[in-house]
Amino acid sequence: MTEVGYASDKPSDCAYCYFFSAGRKKCKRKECFYRISSPPLRRKVTHWEPCEGCPYGKHTPCLGYCIVKAMKEVKEHRNTG
């Protein structure tokens, strides 16, 4: 659920707003310029099991070869050397 609020510099009446059209007697924008809403909650990203922990497999599985195996081998080589 997103909370809706307004900026502190919002005019007391829409007639004093820069975006208010006096001729049409309504706002030029679809949504109030001064409206503040909290960002929507992000969905949890699901990882494919073999790509768990792989920065390249966050959204799709690795193509061609598995980078997770290569990264593990490099880390093991650095730790033993």
Side-chain angles (χ1 to χ4, degrees), residues 8-77:
S8 60
D9 59 342
K10 180 183 183 285
S12 59
D13 188 8
C14 290
Y16 301 115
C17 180
Y18 175 77
F19 300 102
F20 186 78
S21 175
R24 296 185 336 190
K25 296 184 180 180
K26 66 177 186 175
C27 189
K28 296 176 187 175
R29 299 175 57 97
K30 291 181 181 179
E31 187 174 314
C32 182
F33 175 78
Y34 296 97
R35 184 176 176 172
I36 300 173
S37 61
S38 60
L41 299 174
R42 296 185 71 186
R43 295 185 313 170
K44 184 178 177 182
V45 177
T46 58
H47 297 280
W48 283 268
E49 196 168 316
C51 294
E52 189 70 37
C54 178
Y56 301 103
K58 287 183 179 179
H59 305 290
T60 58
C62 303
L63 301 174
Y65 59 94
C66 187
I67 295 176
V68 173
K69 289 181 185 177
M71 288 175 51
K72 285 181 183 178
E73 289 175 5
V74 169
K75 286 181 184 178
E76 288 175 6
H77 181 68

